[in-house]
Amino acid sequence: MGDRRRHKRITFLREMDISCPDHEAAKALAVNISRSGLVLYCNKQIAVENEIGIRLLFVDEYKVDRIETVIGDVCWVKPLEEFCAAGLQFRSLNEQDHFMLLAYLNYAEGFGRPCINE
């Protein structure tokens, strides 16, 4: 049985800030990412179909911090003991607003196996 996903998933271990309409900003841990979305773990409950904003921090070639915000919709949620896992589908990615994320995906997709972000 083949993989039904449109885009290759890449290991992406990164702490990030998320904002949901039903509570203040929260911390989450992303575990994998693709051009379509990502999977995260959060200590706050998230509802399916919520719109979520995520803030990702990247460091450019000049060692300057660059924050990019991506908007997505929660596709699924799996409650766990003290937190929940959730799948987020991005609404859109574009070169102007998501240059660092797209550069990371381009780089990591070139590997034969998943790339872990350090």
Side-chain angles (χ1 to χ4, degrees), residues 70-104:
V70 182
I71 304 298
D73 298 303
V74 178
C75 299
W76 58 266
V77 174
K78 181 178 180 182
L80 302 169
E81 287 184 23
E82 295 181 24
F83 52 94
C84 70
L88 181 72
Q89 181 177 6
F90 297 143
R91 291 205 172 158
S92 70
L93 295 180
N94 63 68
E95 284 284 330
Q96 181 178 340
D97 298 326
H98 310 108
F99 177 82
M100 295 298 288
L101 176 56
L102 290 170
Y104 174 82

